[in-house]
Amino acid sequence: MPCWLSARTASARDLGMNEKASWYWSDSTLSRAVLETLYFRGDLCIHHKQGTNKRYALAQNCIPADILAREDPNPTDAAFRNWLMLRRIGAVGMLWDKGSDAFLCIRDMKDGGRSEGFGALIANGDLVEIVVEGISERLYARSESEPHLREILADDSYTPRMELVAPLDCLLWDRKLIQKLFGFSYTWEIYAPAAKRQYGYYVLPLLYGESFVGRVETVAERKTGVLRVKGVWWEGRSYKTELKRCLKRFAAFNECGEVVWDV
């Protein structure tokens, strides 16, 4: 183990290995590749961050020894794949046995691996089938979620409210499923050239009750304490009163004392 990690934290900047390396997302420095490799192996933990700069420490300095010494709970690649699949299904709420962005970075998801994983999780009782009216595809949720789903279906006292949904929220991981369930098409246009954007740079979906009812683009101007509304696009009828309440809460979250509408 590198001696420079034995008694302190370290970041990629400390190593000084600035040669370029072909890395999993894009080219990066050799320093970053080395630290992230050790992190992925479990030798390091992210101790803290300074802005966007991660500082790493030895795993044994962050995690109790008895936990580190335990046997691997997923002794095979298939078991690990199934564990990851179950986590992702739980994060989204329900998923189908189809190609999905929700399963990104999980190995062996093609050539039958995904269906094999679903079959194993179903046989083990980890998944329960969900039937949605108007949808022919089979959907699956974690079995432990079934009591909560039944409670929600039986409770008619729910008062809807409007909420913003972050572009990378786990609910939106499978955009095709969102289209199928809600009839709502959403694309995060932050990486699209300005001329090709249909809506805007950082547009957030609006969830009201059980429906996606529109989208909004806001900018938090913290120096002036203003949350600026640059655009609102409704799917059908508008919910202006509910949106105003929602954005008032959002402004407070961003430490803005005023909401200014440019539309």
Side-chain angles (χ1 to χ4, degrees), residues 8 140 160-161 235 248:
R8 62 185 177 93
Y140 299 93
R161 69 178 187 273
E235 290 291 289
K248 184 177 180 180

Side-chain angles (χ1 to χ4, degrees), residues 138-156:
R138 294 182 178 181
L139 298 168
Y140 299 93
R142 294 185 64 150
S143 297
E144 64 186 35
S145 299
E146 184 175 0
H148 303 295
L149 293 171
R150 294 189 180 279
E151 181 182 355
I152 291 168
L153 289 171
D155 186 3
D156 59 0

Side-chain angles (χ1 to χ4, degrees), residues 6-263:
S6 60
R8 62 185 177 93
T9 64
S11 72
R13 296 173 184 173
D14 297 328
L15 272 64
M17 296 185 293
N18 297 318
E19 301 93 329
K20 288 296 181 181
S22 178
W23 204 221
Y24 62 94
W25 185 261
S26 62
D27 287 350
S28 186
T29 63
L30 187 58
S31 294
R32 179 189 170 196
V34 167
L35 289 173
E36 290 190 350
T37 297
L38 292 170
Y39 168 74
F40 294 148
R41 282 183 14 171
D43 296 317
L44 302 181
C45 291
I46 297 174
H47 186 274
H48 66 281
K49 292 177 69 175
Q50 295 174 318
T52 60
N53 186 34
K54 300 185 184 81
R55 298 199 65 84
Y56 296 85
L58 292 172
Q60 60 259 37
N61 293 339
C62 301
I63 300 174
D66 64 313
I67 295 178
L68 283 176
R70 291 178 188 174
E71 292 185 7
D72 189 338
N74 298 301
T76 67
D77 289 344
F80 183 57
R81 176 203 62 203
N82 297 347
W83 176 76
L84 283 175
M85 288 178 61
L86 190 62
R87 281 172 56 88
R88 300 287 178 86
I89 293 168
V92 175
M94 64 178 72
L95 280 171
W96 44 19
D97 183 6
K98 299 174 69 172
S100 170
D101 287 345
F103 295 132
L104 284 175
C105 298
I106 299 180
R107 293 182 179 180
D108 190 29
M109 294 303 287
K110 296 182 179 180
D111 301 325
R114 186 187 66 248
S115 294
E116 180 183 291
F118 268 101
L121 291 169
I122 293 168
N124 198 43
D126 294 317
L127 294 180
V128 61
E129 184 175 342
I130 303 295
V131 177
V132 178
E133 291 183 13
I135 295 180
S136 60
E137 292 88 349
R138 294 182 178 181
L139 298 168
Y140 299 93
R142 294 185 64 150
S143 297
E144 64 186 35
S145 299
E146 184 175 0
H148 303 295
L149 293 171
R150 294 189 180 279
E151 181 182 355
I152 291 168
L153 289 171
D155 186 3
D156 59 0
S157 63
Y158 171 71
T159 301
R161 69 178 187 273
M162 183 168 290
E163 294 292 346
L164 304 168
V165 182
L168 298 180
D169 189 283
C170 49
L171 177 63
L172 296 175
W173 283 352
D174 192 322
R175 305 289 166 81
K176 293 180 180 178
L177 180 59
I178 292 297
Q179 172 71 52
K180 193 78 172 182
L181 289 173
F182 299 97
F184 182 73
S185 178
Y186 176 72
T187 300
W188 193 30
E189 298 180 308
I190 189 170
Y191 297 114
K196 294 185 178 181
R197 292 177 191 143
Q198 184 178 0
Y199 297 104
Y201 175 77
Y202 205 97
V203 173
L204 303 176
L206 295 171
L207 182 67
Y208 181 65
E210 299 176 348
S211 302
F212 284 95
V213 297
R215 60 202 86 208
V216 63
E217 183 176 24
T218 64
V219 176
E221 300 174 351
R222 290 185 173 83
K223 289 184 178 181
T224 60
V226 167
L227 180 72
R228 190 170 299 279
V229 184
K230 300 182 67 176
V232 181
W233 300 266
W234 299 107
E235 290 291 289
R237 61 158 290 193
S238 62
Y239 295 82
K240 293 181 180 178
T241 300
E242 291 82 359
L243 179 57
K244 287 180 179 178
R245 294 195 190 105
C246 176
L247 293 182
K248 184 177 180 180
R249 298 195 305 272
F250 192 50
F253 173 80
N254 283 282
E255 300 180 350
C256 294
E258 182 183 8
V259 178
V260 174
W261 297 73
D262 290 346
V263 293

